[in-house]
């Protein structure tokens, strides 16, 4: 096998690995009212939040907890207030972001279920 053949074989291999890695990192998107969350999972979880005025990319994190009261992924947390039907979004970073939406139990429940499926719970 000549040098050029070996090079192309190695290029093919690295290309294959890159494609496999990208396939693992497929973004899955979940929407809650005007918030769109894109999740990517490689070794860690990454979340991207998009709203009409904002795009925020979270730092990769291991912690991704989901229950009916709250969702946490790294710097981002969603807190559900049952009395008011408010879901409060908080991003704990230098500048910090806070926002809220109102949604009923059913809509929040579907959102949480979708996240659990996405996470593999």
């Amino acid at each position: 096998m000549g040098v050029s053949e070996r090079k192309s074989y190695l290029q093919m291999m690295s290309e294959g690995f890159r494609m496999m890695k990208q396939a693992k990192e497929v973004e899955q998107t979940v929407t809650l009212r005007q918030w769109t969350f894109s999740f990517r999972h490689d070794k860690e979880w990454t979340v991207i939040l998009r709203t009409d005025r904002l795009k925020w990319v979270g730092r990769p994190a291991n912690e991704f907890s989901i229950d009916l009261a709250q969702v946490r992924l790294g710097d981002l947390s969603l807190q559900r207030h049952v009395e008011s039907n408010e879901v409060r979004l908080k991003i704990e970073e230098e500048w910090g972001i806070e926002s809220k939406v109102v949604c009923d139990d059913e809509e929040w429940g579907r959102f949480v279920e979708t996240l659990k499926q996405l996470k593999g719970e």
Side-chain angles (χ1 to χ4, degrees):
M1 181 154 76
V3 173
S4 62
E5 289 169 80
R6 196 168 89 232
K7 186 171 178 248
S8 63
Y9 174 72
L10 288 172
Q11 277 175 329
M12 272 172 32
M13 288 293 288
S14 72
E15 193 68 18
F17 281 123
R18 200 171 56 75
M19 282 162 60
M20 275 165 49
K21 190 174 185 313
Q22 279 176 344
K24 256 198 329 208
E25 287 180 4
V26 168
E27 259 184 36
Q28 290 179 282
T29 301
V30 186
T31 302
L32 184 67
R33 294 290 158 126
Q34 66 263 35
W35 300 331
T36 301
F37 302 94
S38 298
F39 296 91
R40 205 181 278 156
H41 185 234
D42 189 12
K43 286 184 224 37
E44 297 176 296
W45 288 94
T46 306
V47 62
I48 298 166
L49 166 68
R50 292 178 183 88
T51 69
D52 25 353
R53 291 189 299 258
L54 173 80
K55 179 183 178 192
W56 175 81
V57 181
R59 292 179 296 208
N62 287 316
E63 178 206 10
F64 186 7
S65 61
I66 305 163
D67 60 55
L68 273 174
Q70 72 167 357
V71 173
R72 276 196 78 87
L73 176 50
D75 295 321
L76 180 141
S77 69
L78 295 171
Q79 191 91 38
R80 168 97 162 112
H81 295 265
V82 183
E83 323 77 56
S84 59
N85 277 349
E86 276 181 2
V87 177
R88 294 186 193 148
L89 167 86
K90 217 181 196 150
I91 293 175
E92 293 161 22
E93 265 194 343
E94 192 183 348
W95 305 112
I97 294 170
E98 283 195 44
S99 182
K100 58 188 175 193
V101 295
V102 175
C103 62
D104 62 19
D105 292 344
E106 197 179 320
E107 192 176 1
W108 173 252
R110 278 197 309 269
F111 176 72
V112 167
E113 276 314 301
T114 305
L115 290 184
K116 284 184 173 181
Q117 284 174 2
L118 186 141
K119 187 183 170 191
E121 280 186 8

